[in-house]
Amino acid sequence: MDARNHWGGSLEINGEHGPDDDDDRRLQDWDRASLAHQHQFDHLSETQQSWLLAHSVEERKKKKYVDLGCVVCSRKALKWTLYGFAAAFFLIALPIIIAKTIPRHKPRPPPPDNYTVAVHKALLFFNAQKSGKLPKSNGISWRGNSGLQDGSDVVNSDGGVLLVGGYYDAGDNTKFHFPMSFAMTMLSWSVIEYNYKYKAIGEYDHVRDIIRWGTDYLLLTFNSSSSKIDKIYSQVGGSKNGSTTPDDHNCWERPEDMDYPRPTQITNSGPDLAGEMAAALAAASIVFRDDASYSKKLVKGAETLFDFARDGGRRTPYSRGNPYIEPYYNSTGYYDEYMWGAAWLYYATGNSTYISLATNPGFSGHAKAFYMIPELSALSWDNKLPAVMLLLTRLRIFLNPGYPYEDMLRMYHNVTGLNMCSYLQQFHVFNFTKGDMIELNLGKPQPLQYVANAAFLASLYVDYMNATGVPGWNCGPTFISSETLRQFATSQVEYILGNNPAKMSYVVGYGTRYPKYVHHRAASTPHDGKKYGCQQGFKWLDNRGANPNTITGAMVAGPDKFDQFKDVRRNYSYTEPTLAGNAGLVAALVSLTNSGGVGVDKNTIFSAVPPLYPVSSPPPPPWKP
């Protein structure tokens, strides 16, 4: 018979019957514990004892070790090894698998700072001011084609082209070419210095489109294909003070509905206008250097205009005696435009003739550059002195050309530092309102355009110092850190954006509280498919409701010297925006935003400037016997 084996497997005994059947029967009834002691199986045969002992040792070994085929290892070690692999899987492999299987999403970029948000809006103002046939991408739903016959009063007699395009200056429908040119110069300057910031915030192509819309138009206002000209078209539209005939001021109409004559003004002598236009085209040629043919066209036009400006027989300010211009954009001099145009032409061409003119002591003397007259520290469409001296200080700081320009450049640098000192409240050159707005226009109306320009110059000067590792400058015996000047620039821009006693953002569409009654014909007249004639439109001027169209990004004229602001459509001294003002605002905002980084592009502006010192000759070839 087969004996039962309680430890597994069969237990066979040779023979049909063992020596003692009763012993076999007892063996079947023993439990495992009974074999734990030798005395309990002494009565077994020697063969049975040896067999049972061998198998008992083998079973203990089986409990302690595991045979894996080619390797025998401790059961305990195997257990902890498996636990280790499991832990590693859950702690390392599983998270990696989950991370690999989850769909990837690009990390969200940090939210734009307030200055970036304001830049986006401020640039839209230029879209709202466009004249001519508008592209579908213009993005201002309440604006359409307008001024398509501008220049028709002179095109037939002069054999020129229609003056279609450009920008309306402010809340009226006049195209003033002098401040328009200044606005384009300022925008180009900001792009040259901070092109990487415009790219970072997605406005690079937009701002270039804005500049080109202006420069394309400026090229129409003179014979840009010729190297010598005898006239410039200086304005389209406008109004005479006291006139009762329909014109841009005696009518309140959308540009799309204009049905009155728009006379073109012609200038045969205008060194100020020509100098500013030359600066605009030269600066833009640097912006568009990636478009070689267009950049070359801009340079040629700038050179032609500057030659006209320098013509000895044409030294009368463009606005003198012209009733359509003088009351509005009267130029008080032209030597600052000589310096301004020459500086930009030098950067655009590298022609040393222009830097010689820009540093001509006669120019700076006539412009009263070193007289330290407070009003001449304020940059505006009329006064370029603080800007051009900073622009030429840039040359000294970064390139240091030395003789024969060093003496004048050093003086420009010194005066630039003093101009910056004058912006600081501690030196009491300019008054500040109780709300801490600097009164650069000496308490007169419409202050914000001057404030924005000064903020840009101050911020830019700080970036020049930072780029060269200079921590500050001296105002007399007092050392002023660059951070103090940056705080001035920031405080003035913050004032414009709403940190003022009125708690009003003076940029339309920015913040929660901003002007709603902007002095602007197109913004105040409903875009409802109806045409409102010259006199009919005045009901919208006097309407008590807010403007039906939001002119996003427009910086209004600003508060008075008591920080008081009246959101009244009829009062243009508070609520009218301008091209020149918004250009300065955009430049200041871009200089202060941290989007895309900080600092200026040191080299782009010098791309056309040749080496200032002789290039070292190459070493001789190695001597060979």
Side-chain angles (χ1 to χ4, degrees):
M1 63 176 286
D2 292 332
R4 185 172 299 170
N5 181 1
H6 291 277
W7 297 276
S10 61
L11 178 62
E12 296 183 359
I13 306 294
N14 290 332
E16 185 174 340
H17 299 287
D20 191 340
D21 288 338
D22 292 335
D23 288 345
D24 289 340
R25 200 174 295 113
R26 285 195 304 269
L27 180 63
Q28 292 176 7
D29 293 333
W30 288 342
D31 58 25
R32 297 184 186 185
S34 66
L35 297 178
H37 303 285
Q38 183 67 32
H39 70 274
Q40 289 180 314
F41 54 91
D42 284 343
H43 62 279
L44 295 178
S45 68
E46 191 173 314
T47 300
Q48 288 174 325
Q49 289 182 28
S50 63
W51 186 91
L52 287 171
L53 286 171
H55 278 74
S56 124
V57 171
E58 186 178 342
E59 283 301 322
R60 286 198 296 271
K61 286 183 178 179
K62 283 184 179 180
K63 288 181 180 180
K64 294 183 66 175
Y65 297 96
V66 177
D67 187 352
L68 298 177
C70 59
V71 177
V72 177
C73 68
S74 166
R75 184 179 297 273
K76 187 175 183 180
L78 177 63
K79 179 178 69 173
W80 285 109
T81 300
L82 292 175
Y83 285 161
F85 277 121
F89 175 78
F90 283 105
L91 294 176
I92 300 174
L94 188 60
I96 293 175
I97 294 170
I98 294 173
K100 293 288 186 181
T101 55
I102 294 176
R104 292 185 178 182
H105 299 283
K106 291 183 178 180
R108 291 184 179 180
D113 60 26
N114 291 340
Y115 302 135
T116 297
V117 173
V119 168
H120 291 315
K121 295 180 182 297
L123 285 171
L124 288 175
F125 171 73
F126 293 90
N127 294 48
Q129 294 300 101
K130 284 182 178 178
S131 178
K133 187 173 178 60
L134 303 184
K136 291 182 180 179
S137 60
N138 193 51
I140 308 298
S141 61
W142 43 273
R143 283 300 324 281
N145 299 335
S146 63
L148 300 182
Q149 295 302 311
D150 282 354
S152 59
D153 57 329
V154 296
V155 66
N156 293 329
S157 60
D158 291 346
V161 296
L162 288 175
L163 302 175
V164 177
Y167 293 94
Y168 301 115
D169 177 67
D172 52 24
N173 299 329
T174 308
K175 295 193 292 193
F176 291 101
H177 300 169
F178 191 43
M180 187 193 303
S181 300
F182 173 71
M184 297 303 106
T185 311
M186 289 291 286
L187 289 178
S188 292
W189 193 5
S190 73
V191 172
I192 293 165
E193 301 284 11
Y194 300 108
N195 59 82
Y196 67 95
K197 289 190 178 185
Y198 279 109
K199 291 174 182 176
I201 66 176
E203 290 287 3
Y204 183 66
D205 291 336
H206 183 199
V207 71
R208 279 165 53 106
D209 287 343
I210 289 170
I211 294 168
R212 184 154 188 167
W213 191 268
T215 53
D216 281 350
Y217 176 74
L218 293 177
L219 289 169
L220 301 177
T221 64
F222 66 102
N223 186 358
S224 59
S225 62
S226 175
S227 58
K228 189 171 181 62
I229 59 175
D230 59 4
K231 65 175 176 293
I232 300 173
Y233 300 121
S234 55
Q235 181 175 309
V236 176
S239 176
K240 288 183 180 179
N241 277 343
S243 173
T244 57
T245 59
D247 58 29
D248 280 337
H249 285 177
N250 292 327
C251 296
W252 193 270
E253 286 183 298
R254 300 171 67 243
E256 294 79 3
D257 297 337
M258 294 183 297
D259 54 3
Y260 48 79
R262 288 172 56 75
T264 302
Q265 305 303 310
I266 301 175
T267 295
N268 299 110
S269 175
D272 35 19
L273 174 62
E276 181 56 69
M277 289 175 65
L281 298 187
S285 76
I286 302 173
V287 172
F288 294 103
R289 192 157 280 162
D290 58 340
D291 184 342
S293 61
Y294 187 62
S295 180
K296 186 176 180 180
K297 185 177 182 180
L298 292 172
V299 168
K300 184 179 185 301
E303 292 176 326
T304 298
L305 286 164
F306 199 76
D307 287 344
F308 176 86
R310 293 285 296 135
D311 189 328
R314 306 182 189 279
R315 300 287 180 86
T316 303
Y318 91 107
S319 57
R320 183 171 296 173
N322 189 319
Y324 284 92
I325 301 175
E326 199 167 26
Y328 308 104
Y329 285 102
N330 181 44
S331 174
T332 57
Y334 53 82
Y335 279 97
D336 56 327
E337 279 83 21
Y338 276 170
M339 297 166 64
W340 185 235
W344 278 114
L345 273 164
Y346 175 64
Y347 288 135
T349 66
N351 186 334
S352 60
T353 300
Y354 294 116
I355 188 60
S356 296
L357 289 171
T359 56
N360 186 318
F363 283 7
S364 56
H366 284 293
K368 301 179 180 178
F370 307 134
Y371 284 40
M372 296 313 302
I373 301 172
E375 297 94 311
L376 297 183
S377 298
L379 172 62
S380 71
W381 54 265
D382 182 37
N383 173 41
K384 319 304 174 359
L385 270 179
V388 69
M389 286 192 286
L390 177 59
L391 187 64
L392 292 170
T393 293
R394 189 192 210 284
L395 179 65
R396 183 175 191 248
I397 287 175
F398 291 109
L399 294 188
N400 190 22
Y403 180 84
Y405 314 114
E406 170 60 17
D407 285 347
M408 291 303 297
L409 292 179
R410 176 173 50 80
M411 287 192 281
Y412 291 158
H413 194 167
N414 289 341
V415 173
T416 294
L418 292 174
N419 286 339
M420 300 302 159
C421 298
S422 74
Y423 298 156
L424 302 179
Q425 196 166 358
Q426 69 194 80
F427 295 109
H428 307 291
V429 176
F430 292 99
N431 290 330
F432 282 71
T433 66
K434 289 183 178 181
D436 285 338
M437 179 188 72
I438 188 172
E439 296 181 40
L440 289 163
N441 65 335
L442 307 181
K444 298 174 185 176
Q446 306 171 27
L448 291 187
Q449 59 181 303
Y450 305 94
V451 172
N453 288 341
F456 171 60
L457 295 186
S459 181
L460 188 57
Y461 189 52
V462 170
D463 282 338
Y464 288 171
M465 288 191 287
N466 288 344
T468 51
V470 176
W473 81 109
N474 289 316
C475 294
T478 306
F479 177 80
I480 304 295
S481 71
S482 57
E483 182 57 30
T484 299
L485 189 60
R486 180 83 80 188
Q487 290 171 1
F488 161 79
T490 302
S491 69
Q492 298 308 297
V493 170
E494 289 292 330
Y495 184 100
I496 294 171
L497 296 181
N499 186 15
N500 53 63
K503 302 303 178 187
M504 168 81 76
S505 164
Y506 295 121
V507 178
V508 176
Y510 179 87
T512 58
R513 187 166 181 258
Y514 51 81
K516 304 290 177 59
Y517 298 83
V518 181
H519 183 93
H520 194 275
R521 284 160 174 76
S524 64
T525 304
H527 178 58
D528 56 7
K530 299 179 182 178
K531 179 177 179 179
Y532 299 96
C534 175
Q535 295 301 313
Q536 291 176 312
F538 278 101
K539 70 179 180 181
W540 302 117
L541 171 64
D542 297 323
N543 181 32
R544 293 186 178 182
N547 287 356
N549 307 308
T550 301
I551 185 163
T552 301
M555 182 181 73
V556 296
D560 60 24
K561 61 183 179 181
F562 303 108
D563 296 307
Q564 299 298 309
F565 179 78
K566 297 178 181 179
D567 193 7
V568 178
R569 193 179 295 116
R570 265 199 175 273
N571 198 329
Y572 60 87
S573 292
Y574 291 104
T575 60
E576 187 171 26
T578 64
L579 277 183
N582 254 70
L585 173 67
V586 168
L589 290 169
V590 168
S591 74
L592 290 172
T593 180
N594 291 324
S595 298
V598 295
V600 292
D601 178 342
K602 293 194 291 186
N603 299 318
T604 296
I605 199 171
F606 299 128
S607 297
V609 176
L612 297 173
Y613 307 103
V615 179
S616 301
S617 59
W623 179 83
K624 291 182 180 180

